Amino acid sequence: MKSHRQELWFEIPDRRGFVNITDEVRAVVRDSDVREGLVLVNAMHITASVFVNDDERGLLADYERWLEELAPHEPTSRYRHNETGEDNGDAHLKRQIMGREVVVAITEGRLDFGPWEQIFYGEFDGRRPKRVLVKIIGD
Amino acid sequence: MKSHRQELWFEIPDRRGFVNITDEVRAVVRDSDVREGLVLVNAMHITASVFVNDDERGLLADYERWLEELAPHEPTSRYRHNETGEDNGDAHLKRQIMGREVVVAITEGRLDFGPWEQIFYGEFDGRRPKRVLVKIIGD
Amino acid sequence: MKSHRQELWFEIPDRRGFVNITDEVRAVVRDSDVREGLVLVNAMHITASVFVNDDERGLLADYERWLEELAPHEPTSRYRHNETGEDNGDAHLKRQIMGREVVVAITEGRLDFGPWEQIFYGEFDGRRPKRVLVKIIGD
């Protein structure tokens, strides 16, 4: 069994944002030399997500608006977590909706994806460097 | 390490629906000849889900109503994604609640499940053929 | 390829509660003797979750309140599932928000975590013994 590990770093200039990281993950799969296996892609921070969906600008705007409805940023006093001095209580909730991780099959050395599947990094408390872990196991 | 891959195809006659796919996944596990490992089961389309829950008709109706409350289909103009000519903006949101994938342990050649765990395909934009990927790795 | 399996048992005295299980999972990883691989940690019951987030008391209270807003326990007649004689319809919905499972990388024999990642068991229908499965594969 082979294994391979790489971190991807992001610094989103705003509080929230989505980044298509499919090509970066593809490059790690290539480097791993794994032909058949699984790749785990997970946010290493608890106010960010990794998820699979469509790379369509309107949809990403819909996610932004919808998450803000489900778990509004303001008033920040809404969240007991913010009594610690943070203002990111909402980000911990948004991340649960969008998920921490995806596991993707590797088949014949490639991401085994349907026609529209793309991997995204979702940031809910940005403006500082944060990491995504890519871990591959297989043969 | 062994690996095994199979696609399951579905064509749900309505916009939305849930299908218990546990037996199909079990059959793939059997075909794989893997005794100890992991099976990834994921929707290959971005308006569908794979999830684990109870096969109880009332519960599935509860999910349907609840998802429609959290991300209503109408008015379709509610979603910027629908400006592309689609009417499935809501389906992309519903799928994030229910999830893209499950990873299930294989132990002694079988799905390592609790008493009520069943695997479901959740369709949120049906009336066309769509796929689920089953990928197994192990020994 | 090595594999290792262990169950963790919980009996939460109230209907709902969160338990940090990171140390228990770490102990299983140690016992497995796997240096590079993946660990799957999943609730074996369909009214409970396993998720990764921050061990901060205010945040856990925020999750509790938010989940109760998104899927209220009462009136129990709100859920068709409860027509079966259960009163846990809400628990099946809350569990979908928080998730069934996490998959965590194992690197150099340890959970490959960011600075604040902690694994939690989330109970939404407690007061009886329930299980979490830890399944490890790797080398």
Side-chain angles (χ1 to χ4, degrees), chain A residues 93-126:
Chain A
L93 278 55
K94 289 173 167 114
R95 116 75 168 252
Q96 290 306 120
I97 298 283
M98 298 306 278
R100 168 185 179 262
E101 77 213 16
V102 294
V103 177
V104 181
I106 300 172
T107 300
E108 297 180 2
R110 298 196 309 186
L111 293 177
D112 196 336
F113 261 164
W116 300 101
E117 289 189 282
Q118 298 283 313
I119 308 174
F120 282 87
Y121 176 69
E123 176 63 81
F124 307 116
D125 185 33

Side-chain angles (χ1 to χ4, degrees), chain B residues 78-97:
Chain B
R78 177 186 163 95
Y79 301 103
R80 282 195 40 200
H81 180 56
N82 291 341
E83 294 172 11
T84 62
E86 299 277 2
D87 68 350
N88 64 7
D90 64 309
H92 291 271
L93 278 55
K94 289 173 166 116
R95 117 75 168 251
Q96 290 305 123
I97 298 283

Side-chain angles (χ1 to χ4, degrees), chain C residues 105-139:
Chain C
I106 300 172
T107 300
E108 297 179 3
R110 299 197 307 185
L111 293 176
D112 196 336
F113 262 164
W116 300 100
E117 289 190 281
Q118 297 285 312
I119 308 175
F120 282 87
Y121 176 69
E123 177 63 81
F124 307 116
D125 184 33
R127 301 173 296 188
R128 51 199 168 114
K130 291 165 86 171
R131 284 176 291 163
V132 163
L133 177 63
V134 185
K135 180 85 180 190
I136 296 169
I137 68 171
D139 261 347

Side-chain angles (χ1 to χ4, degrees), chain B residues 15-16 18 47-49 67 91 94-95 98 122-126:
Chain B
R15 186 181 301 276
R16 291 191 290 274
F18 296 114
T47 50
S49 284
L67 291 168
K94 289 173 166 116
R95 117 75 168 251
M98 298 305 279
E123 177 63 82
F124 307 116
D125 185 34

Side-chain angles (χ1 to χ4, degrees), chain B residues 39-91:
Chain B
V39 51
L40 167 70
V41 188
N42 70 267
M44 300 186 78
H45 299 259
I46 52 195
T47 50
S49 284
V50 169
F51 65 96
V52 165
N53 220 295
D54 193 4
D55 194 353
E56 197 280 306
R57 180 182 304 204
L59 176 63
L60 297 176
D62 291 334
Y63 281 136
E64 160 65 17
R65 187 179 54 76
W66 181 60
L67 291 168
E68 197 51 26
E69 283 173 14
L70 291 179
H73 179 64
E74 295 187 317
T76 55
S77 61
R78 177 186 163 95
Y79 301 103
R80 282 195 40 200
H81 180 56
N82 291 341
E83 294 172 11
T84 62
E86 299 277 2
D87 68 350
N88 64 7
D90 64 309

Side-chain angles (χ1 to χ4, degrees), chain B residues 1 5 9 11 13-14 20 26 30 35 37 42 57 59 61-62 71 73 84 87 96 110 117 125 128 131:
Chain B
M1 201 204 76
R5 174 196 195 278
W9 284 81
E11 183 161 358
D14 300 311
N20 185 332
R26 270 202 187 100
R30 221 157 24 227
R35 301 288 299 168
N42 70 267
R57 180 182 304 204
L59 176 63
D62 291 334
H73 179 64
T84 62
D87 68 350
Q96 290 305 123
R110 298 195 311 184
E117 289 189 282
D125 185 34
R128 53 199 167 114
R131 285 176 291 163

